[in-house]
Amino acid sequence: MNEDKVLMEIERKIMGGDFQSAGDVSSELKKVLQQVGFPPSFNRRVVIAAYEAEMNVVIHAYRGVFTTKIYEDRVHIEVNDQGPGIPDLELAFQEGYSTAPPHIREMGFGAGYGLSNMRRCSDKLEIDTRVGEGTKVIMDFFLNSDK
Amino acid sequence: MTLREIKEILQAEVLTGEEFLDREPSSACGSDLLSDVLAFTKENSVLLTGLTNSQVIRTAEMSDIIGVIFVRGKRPDNYAIELATIKKIPLLATRLPMYESCGRLYLRGLRGCSEL
Ligand SMILES: Nc1ncnc2c1ncn2[C@@H]1O[C@H](COP(=O)(O)OP(=O)(O)OP(=O)(O)O)[C@@H](O)[C@H]1O
Ligand SMILES: [Mg+2]
């Protein structure tokens, strides 16, 4: 991996079920990325993927920690949650598959697009999940990619 | 077409962001599914929706959506309006249902996100 230096590191907590604060972490990240001066189209795909990951913790898990490392030419995000984990990852990635309960669907979530959206927006996506323990989502975004 | 013209066409009320009505969206998206919006809208578009919770505003913020129109007489909650004001996202509310709202705007030349 690159050994370039980290311009900024942000670590924030996410609470499962807290829909009032949901999105605050991604919103702060957007502001920081704008200040760093990355192009809007790059920021947009980072922030959309970040928000999907943040919402998955709020909706599906109990609590999580969201860490971002910003480099000169890339952004690295890790979202580590304590929660039920994902029993079948391949199924979870299928568009339209969702276990979101009715009250979540009423809010407009639960289309089952989040994970594939994260894959589409990021340059690298890795998920490490353990049933009954939790899920770790790792995403990388490269400034010079053609996405 | 500016947001001000959209306001006229949909006989809409401005809930916040009167000062941003000169913005000119390049496309529009009508949806009640937030992940759909996140996956398929383009930047600089307007969103028409029947959802009223504050995550609509978050979704608009993340997707660089420049205005949100609430259809069929729906009203966002106060926190959503507050958040939109902070994020400088103008909010309009129309009594027209989703289909008619989208249809009127489309007829007047506002394209869909997949047509750009
Ligand atoms: N952090 C997580 N912890 C536990 N389960 C998860 C987590 N993230 C995703 N899942 C599981 O994977 C499924 C698919 O996730 P995905 O984000 O694609 O869709 P969704 O969250 O259900 O709906 P949407 O993202 O479209 O609002 C979820 O319904 C859930 O069962
Ligand atoms: Mg999701």
Side-chain angles (χ1 to χ4, degrees), chain A residues 51-53 55-57 59-60 98 109-115 118, chain B residues 35:
Chain A
Y51 179 60
E52 291 280 17
M55 289 315 298
N56 275 358
V57 176
I59 293 170
H60 306 291
S98 174
F109 296 102
Y113 269 122
L115 287 172
M118 283 152 61
Chain B
S35 266

Side-chain angles (χ1 to χ4, degrees), chain A residues 51 107 109, chain B residues 34 47 49-61 65 68 70 80 89 91:
Chain A
Y51 179 60
M107 297 182 72
F109 296 102
Chain B
L34 293 177
L47 170 65
T49 187
L51 297 170
T52 55
N53 65 79
S54 62
Q55 294 309 316
V56 173
I57 312 302
R58 286 297 187 206
T59 297
E61 177 191 1
I65 283 170
V68 178
F70 298 95
I89 298 170
L91 304 182

